Every structure is written in structure tokens, then in C-alpha cells.
Amino acid sequence: MAKTLVITIQTILATGCFYLVIELFTKDSDIPFTHILVSAFVIVISVTPLKVIMKKIFSYFYPGSQDVFTSLYAFDERLEREKSMMLEEMAPVLAHEIKNPLGSIKGAAQYLATEIENEENRQILNVIIEETDRLNGVMSQFLNYAKPFRYEKKVQKIEPILDKVFSLVKARQIMDKVTIEKDIQENLPTVKMDSEKIMQVILNIVFNAIEAMPDGGKLTLGARKVEKENNEGIEIIVRDTGKGIAKEDIKNIFKPFYTSKERGVGLGLAICNRIVRNHGGTITVKSNLGRGSTFKIRLEN
Ligand SMILES: Nc1ncnc2c1ncn2[C@@H]1O[C@H](COP(=O)(O)OP(=O)(O)O)[C@@H](O)[C@H]1O
Ligand SMILES: [Mg+2]
């Protein structure tokens, strides 16, 4: 549907361009409209095959040029597997090496804090204690990200998960300035999933959305049925009216440790992506800087 619309708009634009060129460069412009329309359509629909052919030719002569044509979102499964195997091995060692001294630093600072009388110095020690806690938290999240996840998938409905997310968000009372709305289609198909993990994904995305609206706004939690080649599935939609994401940042938000927040860790979306991929699903983002973002999670059967 979206593709048809894009092709139609491109054809109309191309037709317009043709007319402009003809007007500018020829004296008698009596070429029939249908000829121009058909030419525009042919050019528009051949752009994609043209790109594929160009890619083949270029990468034959210059194997290094592959990257130029590969989308930034392209995902190299083998590389990702190797990376996660390396992480699995390295993470516990690294965490151990960092967490232990952190514990000692915190203990020493806590001891000094009880001994010290000067208020200014006590506050400095408190900074050390708070920051060690933060670093400890980062390390725990990193460990959580690196370890292999165990999934317990079963065929089930998404509605109870969405209800839970909805009440959790309401219960946390962070909704002072943010209004939350539900937009859930009826009779959604069931999907095979690990409900805990999918709830974690939705919560991560929902909390990011709330954090993107410090001055208030509207959060919409939606779900609808999707169909693709006789395959039924669901799409969960989290929409906010927050700050939005700049075009050049979108490609980074799923990378581990990418964060724009002063106190962020940058693992939330990396974990979401990993869980959804494990379910054979996808997460997509559309964002308008200053207007808001829409995250869509697709899960198919
Ligand atoms: N709804 C959103 N609106 C604007 N920016 C977002 C949104 N969701 C994610 N982001 C961007 O993606 C980054 C990574 O998110 P995440 O992985 O959850 O890490 P963290 O929340 O710790 O920063 C965020 O720091 C933010 O820049
Ligand atoms: Mg986050």
C-alpha cells in the first residue's frame, strides 16, 4: 500500500518535471500527456532494479563498494553472532574486575563519611558513593545485556501484556504532565512469545517515550492486526509527542551504549532489538524532530 502511494507520488512528480523540461527546451510541446505519464512511470519503477544492477556491476569491479549500497540498517547475522559470543565471554570477567574494586571504593567512602565532620567534604564523599552506585548499575545492565537470554515462548494474547504496561505506567505516577491513551484493536491474533520479555520491550520503549516529553505531552499505546503473505501477526505502536530524534541519530539508537541522556546507559533499545529479533520480529522508528516519535514492534506467527 505504502509502496503504491510512493510510486504514484513519484510518477506525478516525474511527470511534472518532464513537462517543465519540455516547456523550457522545446518550442512546440505537443507530446501527448499519456506518453509522458508512461515514461515517468517506467523510469520510477525501474529505479529499484537499476540500483540492484548498479550494485552488482560495482561490487564485481570494486568489492569494497558493497557498503555504499547497503542500507545503514543492514544487519550482518554472522558478525552479530560473533560479537555476542565475544561479549558473553568477556562481560562476566570485565564486570568482576570492575565491580570488586567499586565495592571497595564505596566501602571506603562510606567509612570516611561517618568519620568526617566537615559538611562540604561529606558531600564530596557522597558524590563518590552515588557515582559508584551508578557505575555498579551500568555494569549490572551490561551483564544483563551480554548474557544469553532464556526464552519461554508460548502462543498467547497481547492484550493482558498491554493492560499490565498501561497500569504500571499509571501506577508510577510519572504521568503528571503526560497523558496516556490506548488505541488497541479488538480481536487481535495470538502470537508465540515470551510475555515477560515482550513486556520488558514495551516498557523500555514506553519509558523512553515518557522521558522524551519532560514538558508533558501525549503517549499512545496501540496495537493492531497485520497480515503478510497469509501470515497473521500484530503490531504494537508506542507514539509520543516528545522531542523526537534527529535523522543522523536514528541509526545509532539501537547500538549498545548510545545515549543522549546525562544519566542514560544506552542499553534499553539494544536489549529490545535483541529480544524482538529473537522472536523473528522487527522494531521500526519514525521520528520528527521536535514533534515526536513512533516505535512499531511487529511480531508475526
Ligand atoms: N521516544 C524517544 N524520543 C526521543 N529519543 C528517543 C526515544 N527513544 C529513544 N530515544 C533515543 O535513543 C537513545 C537510546 O535509548 P536507550 O537505548 O533506551 O538508552 P537510554 O534510555 O539509557 O538513553 C536515547 O538516549 C534517546 O536519545
Ligand atoms: Mg531507555
Side-chain angles (χ1 to χ4, degrees):
M1 175 64 198
K3 233 177 191 161
T4 321
L5 193 70
V6 169
I7 291 178
T8 313
I9 293 171
Q10 283 178 338
T11 308
I12 294 168
L13 286 177
T15 312
C17 288
F18 274 172
Y19 262 115
L20 216 73
V21 171
I22 291 164
E23 285 294 325
L24 283 177
F25 296 103
T26 58
K27 294 232 156 47
D28 54 310
S29 51
D30 52 0
I31 305 169
F33 172 72
T34 44
H35 286 196
I36 293 177
L37 190 70
V38 171
S39 322
F41 181 69
V42 169
I43 288 179
V44 166
I45 58 160
S46 54
V47 167
T48 315
L50 212 68
K51 242 166 88 182
V52 175
I53 295 166
M54 287 240 311
K55 183 178 169 178
K56 284 230 155 72
I57 298 174
F58 266 81
S59 44
Y60 179 76
F61 289 110
Y62 308 102
S65 71
Q66 278 271 28
D67 291 349
V68 180
F69 295 93
T70 318
S71 141
L72 285 166
Y73 297 99
F75 191 79
D76 185 336
E77 291 289 344
R78 199 172 56 90
L79 189 69
E80 286 302 314
R81 234 189 346 265
E82 278 172 13
K83 272 198 315 203
S84 64
M85 270 163 63
M86 228 168 78
L87 261 182
E88 267 169 42
E89 275 180 34
M90 266 175 56
V93 182
L94 192 68
H96 182 260
E97 291 298 322
I98 292 177
K99 278 182 158 238
N100 274 357
L102 267 185
S104 312
I105 296 171
K106 188 180 171 185
Q110 273 171 332
Y111 171 74
L112 284 178
T114 57
E115 296 287 300
I116 248 167
E117 266 149 37
N118 178 318
E119 185 53 34
E120 212 172 299
N121 286 349
R122 199 202 310 278
Q123 270 177 10
I124 295 174
L125 281 171
N126 277 339
V127 172
I128 299 179
I129 297 168
E130 275 168 25
E131 289 301 299
T132 47
D133 279 344
R134 196 171 84 85
L135 211 53
N136 222 337
V138 172
M139 280 327 287
S140 304
Q141 282 201 43
F142 173 56
L143 258 182
N144 186 27
Y145 170 70
K147 77 168 187 229
F149 291 173
R150 263 176 244 308
Y151 292 88
E152 282 174 35
K153 292 180 196 160
K154 57 176 190 223
V155 178
Q156 55 194 308
K157 283 174 149 288
I158 189 74
E159 287 91 336
I161 302 175
L162 293 174
D163 286 344
K164 254 195 210 165
V165 170
F166 196 77
S167 35
L168 263 173
V169 174
K170 285 232 148 181
R172 275 186 116 176
Q173 277 307 311
I174 26 184
M175 308 305 301
D176 304 350
K177 295 190 222 153
V178 177
T179 53
I180 177 164
E181 207 168 83
K182 254 195 213 173
D183 180 17
I184 297 164
Q185 223 177 48
E186 292 197 346
N187 300 323
L188 291 170
T190 52
V191 181
K192 189 170 181 190
M193 62 187 157
D194 180 321
S195 58
E196 292 282 316
K197 296 273 188 309
I198 293 299
M199 186 156 115
Q200 186 185 347
V201 170
I202 306 172
L203 276 176
N204 263 328
I205 294 176
V206 162
F207 285 127
N208 276 344
I210 292 171
E211 281 163 10
M213 299 186 279
D215 303 322
K218 191 167 110 186
L219 172 82
T220 314
L221 181 61
R224 63 185 192 100
K225 178 172 150 180
V226 284
E227 262 168 297
K228 199 174 119 196
E229 292 149 14
N230 295 334
N231 224 358
E232 277 195 340
I234 52 168
E235 188 168 71
I236 302 152
I237 304 148
V238 179
R239 181 173 295 127
D240 67 64
T241 57
K243 343 178 146 156
I245 309 163
K247 219 173 172 184
E248 61 271 23
D249 292 331
I250 283 206
K251 62 180 183 299
N252 293 323
I253 63 171
F254 289 100
K255 290 183 183 163
F257 297 111
Y258 172 81
T259 182
S260 61
K261 299 168 194 168
E262 206 183 318
R263 302 244 132 198
V265 177
L267 283 177
L269 288 180
I271 292 176
C272 291
N273 201 25
R274 193 174 149 192
I275 295 173
V276 172
R277 273 180 184 279
N278 179 279
H279 282 75
T282 53
I283 306 184
T284 51
V285 191
K286 283 215 173 108
S287 189
N288 217 328
L289 201 58
R291 297 245 188 101
S293 316
T294 305
F295 282 74
K296 289 184 179 170
I297 308 155
R298 221 171 232 246
L299 299 170
E300 272 154 31
N301 278 316

